[in-house]
Amino acid sequence: TLRTLHREQSVMHQGWTLERHLAQSVLQLQTDALLGRLSERHDSKWCKDLRLSMRLAMLFHDTGKLLGSRPRRHAIISAALFARFRPEWFPEALVPLTQWCIRTHDVFGAFSRGLTDKKGVAPGEYREDLSLETSYFAALDSQALRAVLLESGLPLEEAVGINKALWCADIGSIATLRWLLPVADLVERLVLAPAAERTQTDRRSHPGRGDSEGSRWSVEL
């Protein structure tokens, strides 16, 4: 698909074509630290499968733009294209997880723009002021973001870590958007804050219960 179709990107992509952005996103993806933490709960095969899914997700995450300009739909279209055009060697069992990664690759962005794009504040002027009203039409609130992340069937903390890495790779591949990267840590803290409180309460109520439940690749498009 990338060799036979060509599409120009928006101005913020600095003239890069779609295929160049996808390739650069794969190169920007950092998984070592994430998988190092997850390896404490999962075996090596699980971690290798996750890394493979994340890499393929970044390669396909914007392919929906090949079918036209649908800024709020391209992620869903990209996930469907992956199911149709994925490599023959790609494991069938990993398709649901990879589709979830593709479909949700920008939900961190939708939430973060609700934090950074404020009425009365100039674009690019980063200000952590949660009291200001957002100017971004498609912004997600924290509850909506948690719901999307939990569709993965993974514990919230793990889903957040995966999605954060995907979004940072996407944004990190675009020089004009790298100023947004520090926002990822703020989004992570805001999304996980209620979960941390629930975990502490659960530990006090059930001192013998483990910290995590079994994970599964259960999400479907």
Side-chain angles (χ1 to χ4, degrees), residues 28-31 33-34 37 54 58 100-101 104-109 145 149 156-172 180-189 191-192:
Q28 287 287 329
L29 181 63
Q30 299 181 22
T31 59
L34 171 65
R37 296 193 303 271
M54 293 176 69
M58 293 314 300
W100 173 79
C101 288
T104 64
H105 75 268
D106 195 37
V107 294
F108 249 57
L145 179 54
L149 294 173
L156 181 60
E157 181 181 358
E158 296 182 6
V160 167
I162 293 169
N163 210 267
K164 178 183 177 182
L166 296 172
W167 185 69
C168 287
D170 189 12
I171 295 301
L180 284 168
L181 287 173
V183 182
D185 291 333
L186 174 61
V187 172
E188 183 178 37
R189 293 199 303 271
V191 174
L192 290 178

Side-chain angles (χ1 to χ4, degrees), residues 41 155 198-199 202-203 206-214:
R41 301 181 180 180
R198 288 194 300 270
T199 299
D202 187 64
R203 284 174 175 170
H206 306 280
R209 181 176 295 178
D211 289 340
S212 64
E213 299 178 357

Side-chain angles (χ1 to χ4, degrees), residues 40 73 76 107:
E40 298 176 1
R73 297 283 296 173
I76 296 175
V107 294

Side-chain angles (χ1 to χ4, degrees), residues 101-118:
C101 288
I102 295 170
R103 182 163 51 86
T104 64
H105 75 268
D106 195 37
V107 294
F108 249 57
F111 183 85
S112 67
R113 289 194 64 177
L115 301 176
T116 59
D117 294 19
K118 301 293 187 178

Side-chain angles (χ1 to χ4, degrees), residues 3-215:
R3 288 195 300 267
T4 58
L5 296 176
H6 175 86
R7 186 170 183 82
E8 297 295 332
Q9 292 273 73
S10 62
V11 176
M12 69 178 180
H13 289 82
Q14 300 178 299
W16 283 17
T17 58
L18 176 61
E19 59 267 31
R20 182 175 178 182
H21 167 61
L22 295 176
Q24 186 65 26
S25 296
V26 177
L27 295 175
Q28 287 287 329
L29 181 63
Q30 299 181 22
T31 59
D32 287 350
L34 171 65
L35 295 179
R37 296 193 303 271
L38 295 179
S39 65
E40 298 176 1
R41 301 181 180 180
H42 303 281
D43 60 30
S44 60
K45 182 181 184 305
W46 190 96
C47 292
K48 289 179 181 178
D49 286 346
L50 176 60
R51 175 176 277 148
L52 177 61
S53 290
M54 293 176 69
R55 286 177 174 172
L56 266 291
M58 293 314 300
L59 187 62
F60 276 81
H61 77 277
D62 275 353
T63 53
K65 294 179 180 179
L66 293 168
L67 302 185
S69 179
R70 299 179 179 89
R72 295 185 179 88
R73 297 283 296 173
H74 80 273
I76 296 175
I77 298 171
S78 299
L81 289 175
F82 172 77
R84 181 175 180 182
F85 295 107
R86 68 183 188 276
E88 294 182 358
W89 50 261
F90 191 81
E92 180 73 25
L94 299 183
V95 171
L97 172 66
T98 310
Q99 286 187 291
W100 173 79
C101 288
I102 295 170
R103 182 163 51 86
T104 64
H105 75 268
D106 195 37
V107 294
F108 249 57
F111 183 85
S112 67
R113 289 194 64 177
L115 301 176
T116 59
D117 294 19
K118 301 293 187 178
K119 291 183 178 180
V121 179
E125 183 182 338
Y126 179 53
R127 186 184 302 175
E128 291 185 16
D129 189 343
L130 303 183
S131 66
L132 296 177
E133 184 178 355
T134 182
S135 61
Y136 183 54
F137 175 76
L140 290 176
D141 61 26
S142 58
Q143 290 183 341
L145 179 54
R146 290 186 200 105
V148 172
L149 294 173
L150 290 173
E151 289 175 2
S152 64
L154 295 167
L156 181 60
E157 181 181 358
E158 296 182 6
V160 167
I162 293 169
N163 210 267
K164 178 183 177 182
L166 296 172
W167 185 69
C168 287
D170 189 12
I171 295 301
S173 70
I174 306 169
T176 55
L177 295 182
R178 287 175 187 158
W179 68 274
L180 284 168
L181 287 173
V183 182
D185 291 333
L186 174 61
V187 172
E188 183 178 37
R189 293 199 303 271
L190 291 173
V191 174
L192 290 178
E197 293 174 1
R198 288 194 300 270
T199 299
Q200 292 175 1
T201 301
D202 187 64
R203 284 174 175 170
R204 288 193 294 267
S205 302
H206 306 280
R209 181 176 295 178
D211 289 340
S212 64
E213 299 178 357
S215 302

